[in-house]
Every structure is written in structure tokens, then in C-alpha cells.
Amino acid sequence: CIEALQAGLPVVTLPGSRVVARVAASLLTAHGVPETIAQSRDEYISIACRLATNREITSELRQRVSDRRNSRLFCSKRRVREIESAYRIMWDRYNAGLAPEDFDVPKM
């Protein structure tokens, strides 16, 4: 998925129950194109067919996918700050004697 996004190609995905199956959805969300994440098999087919038959929608989506300026996925400096923030949160929780838990990293 990330290779396709780097090449400026739209990607359609249907997240599954396993972590690996959900990675593409996370990448698409981080890159700012969550509308290509299907919630069902029928929606997956609908999105793919719409992209295959509507050049205007496909062209607009390709432009957005190719534009990395506002992408959280391809902004290395922001990604490093987010990872550092996550480590700080985990370290603070550990030092406070709290059990591990899911958390969201604050927006940078």
C-alpha cells in the first residue's frame, strides 16, 4: 500500500480482523484519503468500480494521493515528533506505575 501511495496511485482497502489487514486503512487515513476505505465487500466493489469508470473522480483522487505536502504519512519530521511523544507518554505511564493501555498521540 505505501509503495502505491508513494507512486501516486489510489488504493482501495477493506480492513479485516487482523492487524495486517488494517494497516492499509491506517496508511490511507494518515495520508488523508479515508474515502477509499470500504466498510463492506459491497462498498469495496462500489469504490473500485467508481474509480475504474469515473475519470474525474480518479483524476482528483490521484492528485490528492500525489500531494505529500499535507500528508501525515510522508512527513518524516512530524512522524518522528509523534513517535517521541508516544514514547514520552508510555514512559510517564510506566513511571507512574500505570498499566499499559491504548492511547492516542496528541495532534502535532
Side-chain angles (χ1 to χ4, degrees):
C1 175
I2 198 162
E3 293 85 1
L5 292 173
Q6 284 178 317
L9 300 173
V11 175
V12 180
T13 191
L14 174 61
S17 60
R18 296 178 185 223
V19 172
V20 173
R22 295 188 304 266
V23 168
S26 296
L27 295 173
L28 292 169
T29 299
H31 196 49
V33 286
E35 67 272 20
T36 60
I37 303 169
Q39 300 304 314
S40 68
R41 290 176 195 260
D42 288 340
E43 186 180 14
Y44 180 94
I45 292 168
S46 174
I47 294 169
C49 288
R50 190 169 43 247
L51 291 174
T53 60
N54 189 319
R55 289 179 188 244
E56 186 176 313
I57 290 174
T58 305
S59 176
E60 185 270 332
L61 184 60
R62 284 189 86 145
Q63 284 180 325
R64 288 180 45 223
V65 168
S66 296
D67 183 7
R68 295 184 184 176
R69 291 173 295 175
N70 297 316
S71 172
R72 292 179 60 221
L73 181 60
F74 293 108
C75 181
S76 299
K77 289 180 183 178
R78 184 184 320 165
R79 180 63 62 207
V80 168
R81 287 192 312 267
E82 289 172 343
I83 292 169
E84 289 172 342
S85 177
Y87 288 150
R88 267 190 237 94
I89 292 168
M90 289 184 279
W91 183 249
D92 291 345
R93 289 187 56 78
Y94 172 80
N95 284 326
L98 299 171
E101 71 175 9
D102 290 342
F103 62 89
D104 292 324
V105 175
K107 292 207 183 251
M108 300 282 153

